[in-house]
Amino acid sequence: MVSKRLSRLEGHRRKFMAVIDGTPECQRAVHYAGRRAKNSNGGLVLLFVIPEGDFQQWLGVEEIMRAEAREEAEAATAKAAQIVRENIGIDPEIVIREGSAAEQINAVIEEDRDIALLVLAAGSAKEGPGPLVSSIAGRAAAFPIPVTVLPDTLTNEEIDALS
């Protein structure tokens, strides 16, 4: 059960969240979420989740690997945020977490009660639409807010027309 959303109350605004995960499709999700945020006078949250379990090494090696993963996350979110600033004209919030993607998405939604919509984009790889989209389809990790899943064939111009 998710806490009551506050985005419609005075002093709050609806936020859209997109996950930065290094896949080609995540840029479409960011573009759509950013356009929706701008068009509705809302906010945009960009979330990067560093996968858990990547740091099972000796302490010194683990610290180096964790720092490198953090730097990669910061670089990826900074790049996405810059594209949003330049192309859409809004300044997104950046959140970086470590752990299971589904668990961290749910945690961020619970902590920021203005987040009202999660935006994902389906991939076109033969392995399937992507891990987050697949988790929704498999109902193993249902999210407590509405989720918009963009088809893999939409161009930025088509996304602009829809948002």
Side-chain angles (χ1 to χ4, degrees):
M1 179 81 179
V2 71
S3 299
K4 180 181 175 186
R5 303 288 89 193
L6 302 176
S7 57
R8 294 289 182 195
L9 300 177
E10 189 172 331
H12 294 270
R13 64 186 183 148
R14 180 172 53 169
K15 294 180 184 176
F16 298 83
M17 183 166 67
V19 179
I20 307 297
D21 61 3
T23 61
E25 60 267 17
C26 83
Q27 288 305 317
R28 284 195 321 279
V30 169
H31 187 83
Y32 179 80
R35 286 286 180 206
R36 285 289 313 272
K38 182 170 180 140
N39 292 341
S40 66
N41 198 28
L44 173 62
V45 176
L46 301 178
L47 172 65
F48 189 105
V49 180
I50 300 168
E52 64 186 345
D54 286 353
F55 312 113
Q56 304 294 326
Q57 306 293 327
W58 293 300
L59 185 58
V61 174
E62 177 182 338
E63 289 174 6
I64 292 168
M65 290 175 69
R66 184 170 269 123
E68 288 173 351
R70 180 75 182 192
E71 287 175 15
E72 179 184 318
E74 289 170 355
T77 54
K79 180 179 177 183
Q82 186 61 33
I83 292 169
V84 168
R85 284 186 205 98
E86 291 173 0
N87 296 335
I88 300 174
I90 62 172
D91 193 25
E93 297 174 38
I94 295 174
V95 178
I96 299 174
R97 296 290 182 93
E98 184 179 319
S100 157
E103 288 174 10
Q104 293 306 314
I105 290 168
N106 280 316
V108 171
I109 291 167
E110 182 63 28
E111 292 164 17
D112 187 342
R113 294 172 54 193
D114 288 337
I115 296 173
L117 188 74
L118 173 62
V119 179
L120 303 173
S124 58
K126 64 181 178 184
E127 294 83 26
L132 290 175
V133 175
S134 295
S135 72
I136 293 169
R139 299 172 59 177
F143 298 109
I145 59 174
V147 179
T148 297
V149 179
L150 301 174
D152 65 338
T153 57
L154 291 179
T155 65
N156 281 349
E157 293 77 24
E158 291 168 325
I159 290 171
D160 291 346
L162 291 170
S163 57

PDB file of all heavy atoms in Angstrom, residues 30-39 44 82-91 160:
ATOM      1  N   VAL A  30      12.472   9.231 -20.559  1.00  0.00           N
ATOM      2  CA  VAL A  30      12.851  10.531 -19.997  1.00  0.00           C
ATOM      3  C   VAL A  30      12.210  11.654 -20.808  1.00  0.00           C
ATOM      4  O   VAL A  30      11.665  12.615 -20.252  1.00  0.00           O
ATOM      5  CB  VAL A  30      14.388  10.688 -19.949  1.00  0.00           C
ATOM      6  CG1 VAL A  30      14.787  12.118 -19.621  1.00  0.00           C
ATOM      7  CG2 VAL A  30      14.986   9.718 -18.939  1.00  0.00           C
ATOM      8  N   HIS A  31      12.258  11.533 -22.127  1.00  0.00           N
ATOM      9  CA  HIS A  31      11.691  12.566 -23.003  1.00  0.00           C
ATOM     10  C   HIS A  31      10.190  12.717 -22.744  1.00  0.00           C
ATOM     11  O   HIS A  31       9.681  13.826 -22.565  1.00  0.00           O
ATOM     12  CB  HIS A  31      11.973  12.216 -24.466  1.00  0.00           C
ATOM     13  CG  HIS A  31      11.574  13.291 -25.413  1.00  0.00           C
ATOM     14  ND1 HIS A  31      12.374  14.376 -25.681  1.00  0.00           N
ATOM     15  CD2 HIS A  31      10.447  13.452 -26.153  1.00  0.00           C
ATOM     16  CE1 HIS A  31      11.759  15.169 -26.543  1.00  0.00           C
ATOM     17  NE2 HIS A  31      10.586  14.622 -26.851  1.00  0.00           N
ATOM     18  N   TYR A  32       9.482  11.601 -22.715  1.00  0.00           N
ATOM     19  CA  TYR A  32       8.032  11.646 -22.481  1.00  0.00           C
ATOM     20  C   TYR A  32       7.720  12.214 -21.097  1.00  0.00           C
ATOM     21  O   TYR A  32       6.868  13.100 -20.956  1.00  0.00           O
ATOM     22  CB  TYR A  32       7.429  10.248 -22.633  1.00  0.00           C
ATOM     23  CG  TYR A  32       5.945  10.210 -22.395  1.00  0.00           C
ATOM     24  CD1 TYR A  32       5.048  10.601 -23.388  1.00  0.00           C
ATOM     25  CD2 TYR A  32       5.422   9.789 -21.178  1.00  0.00           C
ATOM     26  CE1 TYR A  32       3.680  10.570 -23.176  1.00  0.00           C
ATOM     27  CE2 TYR A  32       4.061   9.747 -20.956  1.00  0.00           C
ATOM     28  CZ  TYR A  32       3.184  10.137 -21.947  1.00  0.00           C
ATOM     29  OH  TYR A  32       1.833  10.114 -21.728  1.00  0.00           O
ATOM     30  N   ALA A  33       8.392  11.710 -20.075  1.00  0.00           N
ATOM     31  CA  ALA A  33       8.140  12.184 -18.703  1.00  0.00           C
ATOM     32  C   ALA A  33       8.452  13.671 -18.582  1.00  0.00           C
ATOM     33  O   ALA A  33       7.711  14.417 -17.931  1.00  0.00           O
ATOM     34  CB  ALA A  33       8.966  11.373 -17.709  1.00  0.00           C
ATOM     35  N   GLY A  34       9.530  14.108 -19.215  1.00  0.00           N
ATOM     36  CA  GLY A  34       9.885  15.519 -19.184  1.00  0.00           C
ATOM     37  C   GLY A  34       8.847  16.388 -19.871  1.00  0.00           C
ATOM     38  O   GLY A  34       8.469  17.449 -19.363  1.00  0.00           O
ATOM     39  N   ARG A  35       8.377  15.955 -21.035  1.00  0.00           N
ATOM     40  CA  ARG A  35       7.331  16.707 -21.753  1.00  0.00           C
ATOM     41  C   ARG A  35       6.042  16.765 -20.943  1.00  0.00           C
ATOM     42  O   ARG A  35       5.391  17.808 -20.860  1.00  0.00           O
ATOM     43  CB  ARG A  35       7.050  16.084 -23.121  1.00  0.00           C
ATOM     44  CG  ARG A  35       8.097  16.329 -24.125  1.00  0.00           C
ATOM     45  CD  ARG A  35       8.041  17.757 -24.622  1.00  0.00           C
ATOM     46  NE  ARG A  35       9.097  17.931 -25.599  1.00  0.00           N
ATOM     47  CZ  ARG A  35       9.660  19.076 -25.876  1.00  0.00           C
ATOM     48  NH1 ARG A  35       9.271  20.171 -25.273  1.00  0.00           N
ATOM     49  NH2 ARG A  35      10.613  19.156 -26.763  1.00  0.00           N
ATOM     50  N   ARG A  36       5.655  15.628 -20.368  1.00  0.00           N
ATOM     51  CA  ARG A  36       4.435  15.614 -19.541  1.00  0.00           C
ATOM     52  C   ARG A  36       4.585  16.547 -18.343  1.00  0.00           C
ATOM     53  O   ARG A  36       3.657  17.272 -17.987  1.00  0.00           O
ATOM     54  CB  ARG A  36       4.134  14.192 -19.053  1.00  0.00           C
ATOM     55  CG  ARG A  36       3.574  13.239 -20.075  1.00  0.00           C
ATOM     56  CD  ARG A  36       2.137  13.527 -20.487  1.00  0.00           C
ATOM     57  NE  ARG A  36       1.210  13.768 -19.400  1.00  0.00           N
ATOM     58  CZ  ARG A  36       0.521  12.832 -18.750  1.00  0.00           C
ATOM     59  NH1 ARG A  36       0.649  11.560 -19.070  1.00  0.00           N
ATOM     60  NH2 ARG A  36      -0.306  13.169 -17.783  1.00  0.00           N
ATOM     61  N   ALA A  37       5.767  16.527 -17.720  1.00  0.00           N
ATOM     62  CA  ALA A  37       6.009  17.399 -16.573  1.00  0.00           C
ATOM     63  C   ALA A  37       5.899  18.863 -16.985  1.00  0.00           C
ATOM     64  O   ALA A  37       5.228  19.660 -16.323  1.00  0.00           O
ATOM     65  CB  ALA A  37       7.376  17.104 -15.974  1.00  0.00           C
ATOM     66  N   LYS A  38       6.546  19.219 -18.069  1.00  0.00           N
ATOM     67  CA  LYS A  38       6.507  20.621 -18.523  1.00  0.00           C
ATOM     68  C   LYS A  38       5.091  21.033 -18.900  1.00  0.00           C
ATOM     69  O   LYS A  38       4.629  22.110 -18.510  1.00  0.00           O
ATOM     70  CB  LYS A  38       7.443  20.829 -19.698  1.00  0.00           C
ATOM     71  CG  LYS A  38       7.440  22.279 -20.147  1.00  0.00           C
ATOM     72  CD  LYS A  38       8.495  22.598 -21.141  1.00  0.00           C
ATOM     73  CE  LYS A  38       8.374  24.078 -21.493  1.00  0.00           C
ATOM     74  NZ  LYS A  38       9.632  24.706 -21.623  1.00  0.00           N
ATOM     75  N   ASN A  39       4.393  20.201 -19.661  1.00  0.00           N
ATOM     76  CA  ASN A  39       3.051  20.545 -20.123  1.00  0.00           C
ATOM     77  C   ASN A  39       2.014  20.614 -19.013  1.00  0.00           C
ATOM     78  O   ASN A  39       0.966  21.225 -19.188  1.00  0.00           O
ATOM     79  CB  ASN A  39       2.593  19.571 -21.210  1.00  0.00           C
ATOM     80  CG  ASN A  39       3.394  19.726 -22.483  1.00  0.00           C
ATOM     81  OD1 ASN A  39       4.037  20.751 -22.710  1.00  0.00           O
ATOM     82  ND2 ASN A  39       3.383  18.701 -23.312  1.00  0.00           N
ATOM     83  N   LEU A  44       9.967  16.547 -12.661  1.00  0.00           N
ATOM     84  CA  LEU A  44      10.537  15.318 -13.219  1.00  0.00           C
ATOM     85  C   LEU A  44      11.593  14.793 -12.261  1.00  0.00           C
ATOM     86  O   LEU A  44      12.477  15.536 -11.834  1.00  0.00           O
ATOM     87  CB  LEU A  44      11.168  15.604 -14.592  1.00  0.00           C
ATOM     88  CG  LEU A  44      11.949  14.461 -15.241  1.00  0.00           C
ATOM     89  CD1 LEU A  44      11.046  13.261 -15.516  1.00  0.00           C
ATOM     90  CD2 LEU A  44      12.606  14.945 -16.530  1.00  0.00           C
ATOM     91  N   GLN A  82      20.950  17.094 -18.405  1.00  0.00           N
ATOM     92  CA  GLN A  82      21.366  18.155 -19.323  1.00  0.00           C
ATOM     93  C   GLN A  82      20.525  18.143 -20.597  1.00  0.00           C
ATOM     94  O   GLN A  82      20.111  19.185 -21.099  1.00  0.00           O
ATOM     95  CB  GLN A  82      22.854  18.019 -19.669  1.00  0.00           C
ATOM     96  CG  GLN A  82      23.389  19.168 -20.492  1.00  0.00           C
ATOM     97  CD  GLN A  82      23.279  20.502 -19.775  1.00  0.00           C
ATOM     98  OE1 GLN A  82      23.391  20.589 -18.561  1.00  0.00           O
ATOM     99  NE2 GLN A  82      23.040  21.557 -20.531  1.00  0.00           N
ATOM    100  N   ILE A  83      20.248  16.954 -21.119  1.00  0.00           N
ATOM    101  CA  ILE A  83      19.397  16.834 -22.305  1.00  0.00           C
ATOM    102  C   ILE A  83      18.001  17.378 -22.014  1.00  0.00           C
ATOM    103  O   ILE A  83      17.418  18.099 -22.832  1.00  0.00           O
ATOM    104  CB  ILE A  83      19.345  15.368 -22.797  1.00  0.00           C
ATOM    105  CG1 ILE A  83      20.717  14.963 -23.350  1.00  0.00           C
ATOM    106  CG2 ILE A  83      18.249  15.163 -23.830  1.00  0.00           C
ATOM    107  CD1 ILE A  83      20.866  13.477 -23.623  1.00  0.00           C
ATOM    108  N   VAL A  84      17.468  17.071 -20.835  1.00  0.00           N
ATOM    109  CA  VAL A  84      16.146  17.576 -20.449  1.00  0.00           C
ATOM    110  C   VAL A  84      16.169  19.098 -20.350  1.00  0.00           C
ATOM    111  O   VAL A  84      15.266  19.780 -20.848  1.00  0.00           O
ATOM    112  CB  VAL A  84      15.686  16.938 -19.111  1.00  0.00           C
ATOM    113  CG1 VAL A  84      14.471  17.663 -18.547  1.00  0.00           C
ATOM    114  CG2 VAL A  84      15.393  15.459 -19.296  1.00  0.00           C
ATOM    115  N   ARG A  85      17.200  19.640 -19.718  1.00  0.00           N
ATOM    116  CA  ARG A  85      17.299  21.104 -19.593  1.00  0.00           C
ATOM    117  C   ARG A  85      17.343  21.770 -20.965  1.00  0.00           C
ATOM    118  O   ARG A  85      16.668  22.773 -21.199  1.00  0.00           O
ATOM    119  CB  ARG A  85      18.542  21.486 -18.793  1.00  0.00           C
ATOM    120  CG  ARG A  85      18.414  21.264 -17.317  1.00  0.00           C
ATOM    121  CD  ARG A  85      19.641  21.795 -16.567  1.00  0.00           C
ATOM    122  NE  ARG A  85      19.776  21.076 -15.324  1.00  0.00           N
ATOM    123  CZ  ARG A  85      20.597  20.043 -15.119  1.00  0.00           C
ATOM    124  NH1 ARG A  85      21.413  19.622 -16.065  1.00  0.00           N
ATOM    125  NH2 ARG A  85      20.625  19.448 -13.949  1.00  0.00           N
ATOM    126  N   GLU A  86      18.165  21.224 -21.858  1.00  0.00           N
ATOM    127  CA  GLU A  86      18.343  21.830 -23.173  1.00  0.00           C
ATOM    128  C   GLU A  86      17.133  21.650 -24.087  1.00  0.00           C
ATOM    129  O   GLU A  86      16.742  22.589 -24.779  1.00  0.00           O
ATOM    130  CB  GLU A  86      19.580  21.239 -23.867  1.00  0.00           C
ATOM    131  CG  GLU A  86      20.881  21.647 -23.219  1.00  0.00           C
ATOM    132  CD  GLU A  86      22.091  20.920 -23.794  1.00  0.00           C
ATOM    133  OE1 GLU A  86      21.924  20.085 -24.722  1.00  0.00           O
ATOM    134  OE2 GLU A  86      23.206  21.178 -23.303  1.00  0.00           O
ATOM    135  N   ASN A  87      16.539  20.476 -24.099  1.00  0.00           N
ATOM    136  CA  ASN A  87      15.467  20.171 -25.047  1.00  0.00           C
ATOM    137  C   ASN A  87      14.061  20.463 -24.539  1.00  0.00           C
ATOM    138  O   ASN A  87      13.158  20.686 -25.330  1.00  0.00           O
ATOM    139  CB  ASN A  87      15.544  18.716 -25.491  1.00  0.00           C
ATOM    140  CG  ASN A  87      16.824  18.417 -26.252  1.00  0.00           C
ATOM    141  OD1 ASN A  87      17.429  19.299 -26.840  1.00  0.00           O
ATOM    142  ND2 ASN A  87      17.231  17.167 -26.229  1.00  0.00           N
ATOM    143  N   ILE A  88      13.882  20.425 -23.218  1.00  0.00           N
ATOM    144  CA  ILE A  88      12.537  20.582 -22.670  1.00  0.00           C
ATOM    145  C   ILE A  88      12.416  21.845 -21.824  1.00  0.00           C
ATOM    146  O   ILE A  88      11.359  22.441 -21.736  1.00  0.00           O
ATOM    147  CB  ILE A  88      12.137  19.312 -21.871  1.00  0.00           C
ATOM    148  CG1 ILE A  88      12.168  18.104 -22.815  1.00  0.00           C
ATOM    149  CG2 ILE A  88      10.760  19.468 -21.235  1.00  0.00           C
ATOM    150  CD1 ILE A  88      11.949  16.775 -22.160  1.00  0.00           C
ATOM    151  N   GLY A  89      13.512  22.258 -21.214  1.00  0.00           N
ATOM    152  CA  GLY A  89      13.502  23.502 -20.463  1.00  0.00           C
ATOM    153  C   GLY A  89      13.065  23.384 -19.018  1.00  0.00           C
ATOM    154  O   GLY A  89      12.583  24.351 -18.431  1.00  0.00           O
ATOM    155  N   ILE A  90      13.212  22.200 -18.438  1.00  0.00           N
ATOM    156  CA  ILE A  90      12.940  22.044 -17.004  1.00  0.00           C
ATOM    157  C   ILE A  90      14.172  21.445 -16.334  1.00  0.00           C
ATOM    158  O   ILE A  90      15.012  20.839 -16.993  1.00  0.00           O
ATOM    159  CB  ILE A  90      11.692  21.173 -16.726  1.00  0.00           C
ATOM    160  CG1 ILE A  90      11.876  19.748 -17.265  1.00  0.00           C
ATOM    161  CG2 ILE A  90      10.442  21.816 -17.301  1.00  0.00           C
ATOM    162  CD1 ILE A  90      10.767  18.790 -16.846  1.00  0.00           C
ATOM    163  N   ASP A  91      14.252  21.631 -15.034  1.00  0.00           N
ATOM    164  CA  ASP A  91      15.388  21.128 -14.265  1.00  0.00           C
ATOM    165  C   ASP A  91      14.930  19.922 -13.435  1.00  0.00           C
ATOM    166  O   ASP A  91      14.182  20.084 -12.468  1.00  0.00           O
ATOM    167  CB  ASP A  91      15.926  22.230 -13.348  1.00  0.00           C
ATOM    168  CG  ASP A  91      17.281  21.896 -12.768  1.00  0.00           C
ATOM    169  OD1 ASP A  91      18.020  21.102 -13.379  1.00  0.00           O
ATOM    170  OD2 ASP A  91      17.608  22.442 -11.699  1.00  0.00           O
ATOM    171  N   ASP A 160       6.258  13.888 -28.470  1.00  0.00           N
ATOM    172  CA  ASP A 160       5.834  15.270 -28.238  1.00  0.00           C
ATOM    173  C   ASP A 160       4.344  15.430 -28.534  1.00  0.00           C
ATOM    174  O   ASP A 160       3.624  16.118 -27.799  1.00  0.00           O
ATOM    175  CB  ASP A 160       6.635  16.240 -29.109  1.00  0.00           C
ATOM    176  CG  ASP A 160       8.090  16.344 -28.680  1.00  0.00           C
ATOM    177  OD1 ASP A 160       8.426  15.893 -27.564  1.00  0.00           O
ATOM    178  OD2 ASP A 160       8.888  16.870 -29.476  1.00  0.00           O
TER     179      ASP A 160
END
